[in-house]
Amino acid sequence: MATEMKRIPCMAANWKMNKTSAEAADFVRQILPQLKELAGVERVICPPAAALPALSALLAGSGVGLGAQNMHWEAKGAFTGELSAAMVKEFCAYVIIGHSERRGLFGETDEMVAKKVKAALAAGLIPIVCVGETLSENEAGQTDAVVRRQMNAAFDGLTVEQAAKAIVAYEPVWAIGTGRAAHGPDANRVVAGSIRSVLAAKFNPGVSAAVRVLYGGSVTPENIAEFLSEPEIDGGLVGGASLKPDYVEIVRAALKRVH
Ligand code: PGA
């Protein structure tokens, strides 16, 4: 797979349902001085929605990006509990779409993910599109089929320009929050064979080479180098470790990525 194009590494922090707005602000004040200096890496913090206003004020002008963890595809209306793309865009440049917890715990289908990706891009947000197989799918040898299906659905109907702006996170569900990360070469194989190849077939090789693909699932300061050394992996989507100053160390590791 051609990777002549230099892709800027990206380390996104997915805080999930952790930290109140006050706790989020305290933590960001603590790590921001160090995080600011690591400008060679695209840094994105995705706190709970309630912390977006406070963090948007704190991160303004810092070079550190802010993302939401979810959004609805409709512009407005009777959708209790949901946020629209415009509401996210007031505070954020990024939004995580189709995280496996949204898919597995809240019934998000491939079709819903596709609508969200389209609405996010139409609003000028950068979607961080999550794909990945469950343990049983992995054990049944269905990893590539599942990831290809999720990729084909999520990127359906996008223009080449839109697709090139998206970020993909490959997160094997069995590796999330389990302390059992994937092996770098295995993740790289899925990224090359089922993520970049779908982008090349659906759009063109330029899109496939331009899109950043992150690995997610039990990333730590200790194992991040293994993923960054893989040619098709451009960073991480970090859950548990991003709630601690470990996140700074994980971002720092990405500075050393050369490809
Ligand atoms: P984890 O979560 O790093 O805690 O495994 C990753 C994720 O779900 O994005």
Side-chain angles (χ1 to χ4, degrees), residues 11 13 25 42 44 73 79 88 100 133 139 185 191 211 216 226 236 251:
M11 284 296 170
E42 197 166 313
V44 184
W73 59 86
F79 302 102
V88 171
S100 65
E133 82 287 0
E139 287 174 348
V191 173
V211 166
E226 175 178 352
V251 172

Side-chain angles (χ1 to χ4, degrees), residues 9-39:
C10 174
M11 284 296 170
N14 176 11
W15 288 1
K16 309 190 181 185
M17 197 174 74
N18 293 289
K19 299 190 192 292
T20 62
S21 179
E23 288 163 351
D26 279 350
F27 179 56
V28 164
R29 278 193 204 95
Q30 182 192 338
I31 61 170
L32 192 55
Q34 295 174 75
L35 217 46
K36 261 188 190 165
E37 286 168 16
L38 307 172

Side-chain angles (χ1 to χ4, degrees), residues 170 172 174-175 180-184 186-187 215 217 226-227:
Y170 170 53
W174 47 269
R180 186 184 154 208
H183 294 299
D186 292 342
Y215 166 79
E226 175 178 352
F227 297 102

Side-chain angles (χ1 to χ4, degrees), residues 200-217:
K202 236 178 147 46
F203 302 98
N204 60 50
V207 170
S208 169
V211 166
R212 266 87 55 78
V213 184
L214 317 180
Y215 166 79

Side-chain angles (χ1 to χ4, degrees), residues 14 16 99-101 171 175-179 216-219 237-241:
N14 176 11
K16 309 190 181 185
H99 188 278
S100 65
E101 285 149 20
E171 300 204 300
I176 294 177
T178 58
S218 298
V219 167
L237 180 55
V238 188

Side-chain angles (χ1 to χ4, degrees), residues 44-61:
V44 184
I45 295 178
C46 305
L52 291 175
L55 293 203
S56 144
L58 275 175
L59 295 176

